[in-house]
Amino acid sequence: MDYNQAYALNRALRTIGMRHRSLAATELNRLGLAIGQESLIMELANQGPRTQAQLATAAGCEPPTITSAVQKLEALGLVSRRPSTKDRRATVVELTVKGESLLEGLSAAWIHLAESTVAGLSRTKVEDMIETLDDLAASLETAARDLDARRPT
Amino acid sequence: MDYNQAYALNRALRTIGMRHRSLAATELNRLGLAIGQESLIMELANQGPRTQAQLATAAGCEPPTITSAVQKLEALGLVSRRPSTKDRRATVVELTVKGESLLEGLSAAWIHLAESTVAGLSRTKVEDMIETLDDLAASLETAARDLDARRPT
DNA sequence: TAATTAATGTTAGACGCCTAACTAATCGCT
DNA sequence: AGCGATTAGTTAGGCGTCTAACATTAATTA
């Protein structure tokens, strides 16, 4: 690949990441949430109670990030924690009633975010966009996995 | 747009942002740089000496981010600062010789980053990917602009 | 010209995310 | 059965980014 293509690709991805994150943050602020917390709430809503390790895998981030996010969600009363009965190392996280009451607003906010994200597209259909982004997300996941498989212990 | 589409879109964008940023960070770390600094260096290489306000606009971030990034680049000896002669508020930032010596490695790293980003694509050609991402980046820029135009003083 | 408004850059403090280092518990192998 | 290796979670400290508040200088307008 030549430099101009690489530059264009990386630059587009940088601005996409920053802008989408920023729009997401303003949507979530209206609900009293910070960015990152939504992915835990949605995962708990979809899958039921999960350990923090499962949440880390689902959210694609590292354990310390989960520790801190769960602590804050617990302080907000949106989530509860209890020790796992089967594995005494593990902590099971569960949505509280108050947490579930957020789900409706969260869905609306997420639709609004997606709509403003694609509102200004000039030559791409939304279905094609989603298709393309899924392909890219998968490619980046394998690139990331390959990278730290190559990183020794 | 229905919720499932919105969820898929937002989720793909979240992972794309996180993974690409993370890959970029490991590339830059090899050069002794942190993420974000590369966009200033590249802008200075492309456009010549710039004020911090111009750098903020080009990088798509806020003035305090530039202040801190420029301070660190200056401490590394990659960049020099001098007061503008025409506007006594402004600071002009310029690449040093040591900064220019990084450009070659930076280009190589950026090509490598782009290649690993797209290496795992299964159903999208690179040219189409760039086209689609440019469209999306532009859409998100206008969404962000509209948002804080709506935010009053 | 004088007064108001706008722009440049800084500091302070917050956020999410990261890595490194650690404890405690479980797993795996001999 | 026991010991080394792995896994779950936490703490400490770093990064880039943001907003809010501020001082300084420039531009606008009365």
Side-chain angles (χ1 to χ4, degrees):
Chain A
M1 167 162 356
D2 68 68
Y3 177 71
N4 287 329
Q5 270 191 322
Y7 181 83
L9 181 71
N10 291 328
R11 193 183 208 311
L13 284 173
R14 175 181 154 88
T15 79
I16 287 166
M18 284 180 63
R19 296 303 184 216
H20 184 262
R21 182 184 169 91
S22 157
L23 291 178
T26 79
E27 290 290 339
L28 292 169
N29 286 346
R30 288 193 202 125
L31 300 171
L33 293 177
I35 210 169
Q37 298 176 345
E38 87 287 352
S39 73
L40 303 193
I41 293 179
M42 288 171 170
E43 180 70 9
L44 294 172
N46 291 339
Q47 306 289 337
R50 304 267 94 177
T51 67
Q52 297 191 182
Q54 289 174 320
L55 291 176
T57 302
C61 59
E62 300 302 316
T65 303
I66 301 297
T67 295
S68 134
V70 167
Q71 282 172 352
K72 289 178 183 177
L73 288 174
E74 190 179 28
L76 292 171
L78 302 174
V79 131
S80 70
R81 306 173 44 178
R82 75 181 121 86
S84 165
T85 55
K86 323 195 166 180
D87 184 340
R88 285 195 318 227
R89 298 167 299 178
T91 303
V92 175
V93 183
E94 188 174 6
L95 226 46
T96 63
V97 174
K98 186 174 175 189
E100 285 171 355
S101 76
L102 260 181
L103 293 177
E104 208 173 349
L106 194 46
S107 305
W110 236 225
I111 291 176
H112 186 229
L113 170 60
E115 285 175 343
S116 26
T117 295
V118 300
L121 291 182
S122 60
R123 46 189 194 276
T124 318
K125 288 197 307 191
V126 172
E127 295 78 20
D128 297 342
M129 179 59 73
I130 293 174
E131 184 86 7
T132 302
L133 294 181
D134 277 342
D135 199 7
L136 181 59
S139 177
L140 280 163
E141 290 281 16
T142 71
R145 182 166 28 247
D146 289 359
L147 189 79
D148 68 51
R150 200 168 295 114
R151 184 171 317 186
T153 39
Chain B
M1 167 162 353
D2 68 66
Y3 177 71
N4 287 329
Q5 270 190 323
Y7 181 83
L9 182 70
N10 291 328
R11 194 182 208 310
L13 284 174
R14 176 181 153 86
T15 78
I16 288 166
M18 284 180 63
R19 295 304 185 215
H20 183 262
R21 182 185 169 90
S22 158
L23 292 178
T26 79
E27 290 290 340
L28 292 170
N29 286 347
R30 288 194 202 126
L31 300 171
L33 293 177
I35 209 167
Q37 298 177 346
E38 86 288 352
S39 73
L40 302 193
I41 292 179
M42 288 171 169
E43 179 70 10
L44 294 172
N46 291 339
Q47 306 290 336
R50 303 267 93 177
T51 68
Q52 296 192 183
Q54 289 174 321
L55 291 175
T57 302
C61 60
E62 299 302 317
T65 303
I66 301 297
T67 295
S68 133
V70 167
Q71 283 171 352
K72 288 177 183 177
L73 289 175
E74 192 180 27
L76 292 171
L78 303 174
V79 131
S80 70
R81 304 174 45 180
R82 73 182 121 87
S84 165
T85 55
K86 323 194 165 180
D87 184 338
R88 287 196 317 230
R89 296 168 300 180
T91 303
V92 175
V93 183
E94 188 173 6
L95 226 48
T96 63
V97 173
K98 186 174 174 189
E100 283 170 356
S101 76
L102 261 180
L103 293 176
E104 207 173 349
L106 194 47
S107 305
W110 236 224
I111 291 176
H112 186 230
L113 169 60
E115 284 175 345
S116 26
T117 296
V118 300
L121 292 182
S122 60
R123 47 187 194 276
T124 317
K125 288 197 306 191
V126 173
E127 296 78 19
D128 296 344
M129 179 59 74
I130 293 175
E131 184 86 7
T132 301
L133 293 180
D134 277 341
D135 200 7
L136 181 60
S139 178
L140 280 162
E141 289 281 17
T142 72
R145 185 166 27 249
D146 289 1
L147 189 80
D148 68 51
R150 199 170 295 110
R151 185 172 318 192
T153 37

